[in-house]
């Protein structure tokens, strides 16, 4: 065991070398705040290079739903490694891709019968948009506009960025480079509140005004993630489906954050009993082990796309359907479905409600909301990143607040004591801001 001072020095060394060469997500060069080196992870905990052990309240950005070094998931990767790490998917196939696709078709809402494997969530959204546009080409129409809602987030590539919230999604910076899509207001009311038609008139008007130009509607079902951590009424989503049917246009559901139980339903669409025409999954697909995403579509969409002049869906990532990722995704899905995941998510929901509700009394807090295994404390002012990170780590927790949002989506095996630790760490940030 290294001396604690040696470990602290080693951690500082890594942080300094990192700062010299590495970009981090949404950061300048060098980053404003040093990255925290991690050397190991197990269960729901990260071991930092300086020797501290902290609970990962982020599930590595929604992905590590089963925690780290799960023996079943580790075995799936090592077993697959003995057969092949990768093989091209152009003209070749393998059992992992087939079995994973079959599982996704079985678990996702009815009608989504065909699967395109992508290598990240953003690429899955690109493929969804390409499918939608090409579907209309196949019908002999040129429809290239999408309708979406404000406060959305769909990824960082240019096609995905064009349907992110126009203010937080950097539309002003990239102006003319981005496709010009149509934005309805942020969905209301909040999850659990009664929905009526008055909540959706603007979206309805957009569909009316631009009829004939619109290929489809794209949104995150029920939970808006990185665009604001908001939970909206399932009735809104059901009405969007009805409006898409009425106009004969496609509904694209981005389930990259919501998929695999996070919101209390297996998919966000399940809260509303809705089947989209195209659906994206990612993040938790491989249990946080490897990068993989998928775009599913109906047979009608698949046929439309294939009738376009190209006669094919013109997309094909080098690492499409990577066998290691497919193997661990199958294991992760079987692990999830094979346990009483609804009970686990409900248990987390109850613990987060209990632990976070008292924070709403603070004048520094604008709102506290919990849905499934997602807990959000919206602050009145932007969170001081350096101070909050220090307070969180001292409390034994890793969280990554952004803007005014302090939030957690812990791995499902996080126990009640660990959930209480996460909530009190969030309380320490609130105290620091009060
Ligand atoms: C994270 C996310 C994406 C982008 O996924 P990446 O794997 O980061 O490219 C797209 N849509 C939603 C809803 C997301 O949460």
């Amino acid at each position: 065991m290294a001396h604690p001072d040696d470990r602290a020095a080693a951690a500082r060394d890594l942080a300094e070398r990192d700062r010299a060469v590495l970009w981090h997500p949404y950061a300048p060069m060098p980053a404003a705040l040093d990255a925290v080196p991690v050397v190991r992870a197990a269960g729901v905990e990260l071991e930092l290079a300086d020797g501290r052990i902290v609970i990962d309240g982020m599930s590595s950005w929604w992905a590590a739903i089963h925690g780290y070094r799960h023996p079943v998931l580790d075995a799936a990767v090592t077993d697959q490694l003995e057969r092949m790490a990768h093989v091209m998917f152009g003209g070749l196939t393998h059992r992992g891709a087939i079995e994973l696709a079959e599982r996704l078709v079985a678990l996702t809402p009815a009608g989504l019968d065909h699967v395109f494997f992508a290598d990240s969530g953003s690429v899955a959204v690109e493929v969804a948009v390409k499918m939608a546009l090409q579907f209309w080409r196949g019908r002999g129409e040129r429809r290239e506009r999408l309708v979406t809602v404000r406060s959305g987030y769909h990824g960082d590539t240019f096609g995905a960025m064009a349907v992110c919230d126009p203010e937080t999604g950097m539309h002003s910076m990239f102006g003319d480079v981005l496709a010009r899509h149509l934005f309805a207001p942020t969905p209301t009311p909040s999850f659990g509140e009664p929905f009526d038609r008055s909540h959706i008139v603007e979206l309805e008007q957009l569909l009316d005004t631009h009829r004939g130009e619109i290929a489809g509607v794209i949104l995150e079902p029920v939970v808006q993630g990185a665009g604001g951590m908001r939970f909206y009424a399932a009735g809104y989503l059901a009405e969007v489906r009805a409006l898409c049917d009425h106009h004969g246009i496609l509904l694209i559901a981005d389930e990259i954050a919501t998929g695999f139980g996070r919101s209390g339903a297996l998919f966000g669409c399940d809260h509303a009993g809705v089947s989209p025409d195209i659906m994206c999954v990612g993040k938790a697909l491989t249990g946080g082990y490897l990068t993989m995403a998928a775009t599913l579509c109906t047979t009608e969409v698949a046929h439309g796309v294939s009738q376009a002049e190209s006669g094919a869906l013109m997309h094909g990532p080098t690492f499409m359907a990577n066998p290691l990722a497919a193997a661990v995704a199958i294991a992760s899905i079987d692990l999830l479905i094979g346990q009483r995941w609804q009970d686990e998510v409900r248990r987390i929901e109850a613990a987060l409600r209990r632990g976070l509700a008292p924070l709403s009394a603070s004048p520094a807090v604008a709102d506290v909301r919990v849905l499934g295994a997602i807990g959000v404390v919206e602050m009145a002012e932007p969170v001081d990143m350096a101070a909050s990170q220090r307070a969180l780590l001292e409390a034994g927790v890793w969280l990554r607040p952004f803007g005014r949002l302090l939030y957690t989506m812990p791995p499902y095996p996080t126990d009640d004591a660990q959930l209480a630790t996460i909530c009190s760490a969030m309380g320490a940030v609130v105290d620091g801001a009060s």
Side-chain angles (χ1 to χ4, degrees):
M1 192 71 199
H3 190 275
D5 290 346
D6 296 346
R7 294 201 63 168
R12 271 198 306 278
D13 175 59
L14 285 175
E16 274 164 29
R17 286 161 57 197
D18 175 285
R19 191 170 54 214
V21 290
L22 282 172
W23 290 100
H24 280 270
Y26 313 105
M29 172 59 73
L33 199 58
D34 274 356
V36 180
V38 180
V39 290
R40 215 173 269 110
V44 304
E45 291 172 332
L46 310 177
E47 181 183 334
L48 308 183
D50 66 11
R52 284 185 287 182
I53 308 267
V54 296
I55 300 164
D56 177 16
M58 299 296 286
S59 297
S60 279
W61 272 340
W62 314 83
I65 50 174
H66 304 297
Y68 299 89
R69 293 232 54 196
H70 194 290
V72 172
L73 303 188
D74 281 13
V77 177
T78 49
D79 288 353
Q80 179 58 42
L81 202 46
E82 285 172 11
R83 292 191 291 275
M84 61 186 164
H86 184 63
V87 68
M88 66 186 281
F89 209 55
L92 298 177
T93 193
H94 50 90
R95 180 175 293 275
I98 296 162
E99 291 189 350
L100 177 56
E102 287 170 348
R103 276 170 177 72
L104 290 174
V105 165
L107 287 178
T108 53
L112 295 164
D113 290 339
H114 310 281
V115 182
F116 185 101
F117 285 116
D119 32 20
S120 74
S122 300
V123 173
V125 170
E126 298 289 330
V127 170
V129 171
K130 197 180 270 191
M131 277 180 180
L133 269 48
Q134 210 173 308
F135 168 80
W136 287 103
R137 292 293 189 92
R139 295 206 155 184
E141 282 189 56
R142 210 183 168 100
R143 294 188 181 217
E144 297 183 340
R145 298 193 94 177
L146 296 170
V147 169
T148 187
V149 292
R150 288 180 184 265
S151 308
Y153 176 76
H154 298 284
D156 296 339
T157 52
F158 277 86
M161 207 162 41
V163 284
C164 289
D165 182 273
E167 265 126 62
T168 59
M170 296 167 289
H171 284 238
S172 55
M173 180 156 38
F174 292 114
D176 298 338
V177 188
L178 294 180
R180 298 197 178 277
H181 296 308
L182 301 159
F183 292 87
T186 301
T188 53
S190 299
F191 187 86
E193 285 174 17
F195 167 84
D196 63 69
R197 292 294 290 272
S198 71
H199 291 109
I200 206 164
V201 284
E202 284 100 335
L203 189 142
E204 211 171 351
Q205 278 162 5
L206 275 181
L207 296 184
D208 269 334
T209 311
H210 296 273
R211 63 171 67 232
E213 299 171 51
I214 298 172
V217 176
I218 179 168
L219 42 56
E220 296 155 278
V222 174
V223 175
Q224 293 187 293
M229 298 300 293
R230 297 182 66 269
F231 314 137
Y232 66 85
Y236 184 98
L237 181 60
E239 189 57 30
V240 171
R241 174 71 276 182
L243 289 170
C244 287
D245 288 342
H246 176 72
H247 286 272
I249 60 174
L250 302 174
L251 175 59
I252 306 170
D254 179 351
E255 294 262 10
I256 291 166
T258 40
F260 307 102
R262 181 55 69 178
S263 71
L266 196 53
F267 294 98
C269 283
D270 297 341
H271 286 289
V274 153
S275 283
D277 302 288
I278 300 174
M279 182 167 129
C280 302
V281 294
K283 290 200 162 97
L285 173 61
T286 64
Y289 270 56
L290 285 160
T291 176
M292 180 183 240
T295 308
L296 289 94
C297 72
T298 62
T299 297
E300 190 191 356
V301 169
H303 282 168
V305 166
S306 308
Q307 275 159 19
E309 64 268 42
S310 66
L313 177 58
M314 296 307 285
H315 215 100
T318 304
F319 287 97
M320 186 166 181
N322 173 257
L324 284 175
V328 72
I330 291 168
S332 175
I333 288 173
D334 289 353
L335 199 58
L336 182 71
I337 301 308
Q339 63 176 315
R340 300 176 63 87
W341 62 268
Q342 299 93 330
D343 294 349
E344 287 302 276
V345 172
R346 260 195 295 273
R347 175 184 63 79
I348 295 171
E349 179 168 29
L352 292 177
R353 280 192 203 285
R354 217 166 36 238
L356 298 180
L359 303 184
S360 61
S362 165
V365 171
D367 188 37
V368 173
R369 48 187 182 266
V370 174
L371 180 67
I374 313 167
V376 182
V377 177
E378 186 173 330
M379 305 292 289
E381 302 290 334
V383 177
D384 176 334
M385 285 292 276
S388 66
Q389 191 169 98
R390 215 176 312 115
L392 289 161
L393 289 175
E394 269 165 29
V397 172
W398 171 250
L399 293 178
R400 179 82 177 156
F402 70 87
R404 296 191 293 111
L405 296 168
L406 173 64
Y407 64 105
T408 181
M409 51 275 189
Y412 301 161
T414 310
D415 69 28
D416 287 352
Q418 290 164 326
L419 292 166
T421 303
I422 293 173
C423 293
S424 61
M426 292 168 84
V429 173
V430 169
D431 288 345
S434 307

